[in-house]
C-alpha cells in the first residue's frame, strides 16, 4: 500500500465498539470528540489510549479539526496521567498502517508514562490484570477531577 493510501474504515473495529458501549473498557475521560481509556496490554502503569470519535483509520484520514481536538486532549491528559502514576516522563506514540505496527485500525494516540529505571514492556504484549487496571483508572480519574 502506498503512503497516501488509507485502509477502509471498519465500523465494527474494537475501538468503534467501545465508543458505542458494546465492549467494556477502563474509561478515564470522554468529551464530544474523544475518549480515553487504559490499554489492555499496558507497556507501563497508566498506559492510556486517546481515540477520536470521528471514524478515521489513521492520522491521514482524520480532518484537521478532528486532529486538533485529539491532540489537545493528549496534551491535557498526559501530564495528569504522569502525575497520577508518579512517572518521570511520558512517551507519546502513534502508529499508521499495519507495517508500522498499528494493530487497531481506528486512529489513536498512546500515552505511556515512563518511570526512570522501570523497563517499558513490549508493544501489545501481555494482558493486564483487570483489577490492577481498574485501580489505575481510579487513581488517574481522581487526579483528573482535581
Ligand atoms: P496499535 O498497535 O494499533 O497502535 O495499538 C492498539 C493498542 O490497543 C495496543 O496497545 C493494544 O494493547 C490495545 N488493545 C487491543 N485490544 C484492546 C482492547 O480490547 N481493549 C483495550 N483497552 N485495549 C486494546
Amino acid at each position: 500500500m502506498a503512503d497516501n493510501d488509507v485502509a477502509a474504515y471498519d465500523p465494527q473495529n474494537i475501538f468503534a465498539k467501545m465508543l458505542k458501549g458494546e465492549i467494556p473498557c477502563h474509561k478515564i475521560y470522554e468529551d464530544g470528540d474523544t475518549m480515553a481509556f487504559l490499554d489492555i496490554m499496558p507497556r507501563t502503569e497508566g498506559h492510556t489510549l486517546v481515540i477520536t470519535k470521528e471514524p478515521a483509520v489513521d492520522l491521514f484520514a482524520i480532518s484537521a479539526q478532528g486532529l486538533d481536538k485529539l491532540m489537545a486532549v493528549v496534551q491535557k491528559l498526559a501530564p495528569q496521567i504522569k502525575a497520577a502514576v508518579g512517572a518521570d516522563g511520558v512517551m507519546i506514540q502513534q502508529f499508521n498502517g499495519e507495517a508500522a505496527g498499528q494493530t487497531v485500525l481506528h486512529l489513536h494516540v498512546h500515552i505511556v508514562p515512563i518511570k526512570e529505571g522501570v523497563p517499558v514492556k513490549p508493544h501489545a504484549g501481555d494482558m493486564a490484570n483487570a483489577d490492577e487496571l481498574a485501580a489505575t483508572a481510579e487513581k488517574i480519574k481522581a487526579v483528573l477531577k482535581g
Side-chain angles (χ1 to χ4, degrees):
M1 185 178 281
D3 283 352
N4 57 353
D5 287 344
V6 172
Y9 182 79
D10 173 9
Q12 295 305 319
N13 77 72
I14 195 145
F15 292 172
K17 287 183 175 176
M18 284 178 189
L19 283 172
K20 287 184 271 185
E22 294 171 6
I23 288 182
C25 62
H26 296 280
K27 193 194 299 184
I28 61 156
Y29 176 86
E30 183 167 16
D31 63 25
D33 304 292
T34 67
M35 187 167 100
F37 52 88
L38 295 186
D39 195 305
I40 206 165
M41 293 172 247
R43 303 192 64 186
T44 64
E45 184 191 9
H47 181 174
T48 297
L49 301 172
V50 187
I51 69 174
T52 171
K53 291 188 176 178
E54 189 178 320
V57 169
D58 64 16
L59 190 72
F60 313 114
I62 193 168
S63 66
Q65 190 190 34
L67 183 59
D68 279 353
K69 288 175 174 163
L70 178 67
M71 292 314 292
V73 171
V74 171
Q75 186 185 44
K76 179 167 82 173
L77 294 184
Q80 297 184 74
I81 294 169
K82 176 185 168 212
V85 300
D88 302 299
V90 186
M91 177 167 67
I92 305 293
Q93 284 191 311
Q94 195 273 316
F95 303 98
N96 298 284
E98 289 172 356
Q102 185 178 11
T103 57
V104 179
L105 299 181
H106 179 117
L107 175 60
H108 55 279
V109 176
H110 296 256
I111 296 175
V112 185
I114 306 288
K115 294 180 188 173
E116 271 171 29
V118 177
V120 177
K121 291 182 188 154
H123 176 61
D126 295 332
M127 291 265 261
N129 173 290
D131 291 341
E132 277 174 29
L133 282 180
T136 302
E138 288 312 312
K139 213 164 27 172
I140 293 171
K141 284 193 281 186
V143 169
L144 294 180
K145 270 189 211 145

